[in-house]
Amino acid sequence: MRIGVPKEIKNHEYRVGLVPAGVRELVAAGHQVFVQSSAGAGIGVVDAAYTAARAKIVATAKEAFDAAAMPPMAPATTSARISHAGRGSSPSLGRNAATISGDGVSP
């Protein structure tokens, strides 16, 4: 599965859909993860941490959504963000990577 992780756009929102440990688990299970640059900045996670976990860093949310079969999202996802996910995407409001991937792997 291809998973996209966009940067949060809501004002004063610092959550991120997936942390590097979750990326590492998903990649180890054979999935591809695309993370928008600076997606983890609000929680102090730099792009290099995602790259080390074997995620591909993309420049824009559109690239993350376009690359993904399923974009993970924090519960405060806005309706604008959901509509931006596009046709064929299934935004997940799950709490962890196992919920998103559906493979039963605990993050």
Side-chain angles (χ1 to χ4, degrees), residues 12-91:
H12 299 294
E13 181 58 68
Y14 306 105
R15 292 179 282 192
V16 62
L18 197 58
V19 295
V23 169
R24 196 172 5 269
E25 291 291 324
L26 289 168
V27 170
H31 304 290
Q32 295 177 298
V33 181
F34 301 86
V35 178
Q36 182 182 357
S37 184
S38 300
I43 61 168
V45 178
V46 296
D47 290 349
Y50 284 105
T51 302
R54 298 181 38 215
K56 180 176 190 291
I57 303 298
V58 296
T60 66
K62 181 176 181 351
E63 289 177 85
F65 284 117
D66 287 350
M70 180 178 289
M73 296 183 184
T77 299
T78 65
S79 59
R81 176 56 63 103
I82 290 171
S83 66
H84 183 66
R87 218 171 50 172
S89 294
S90 301

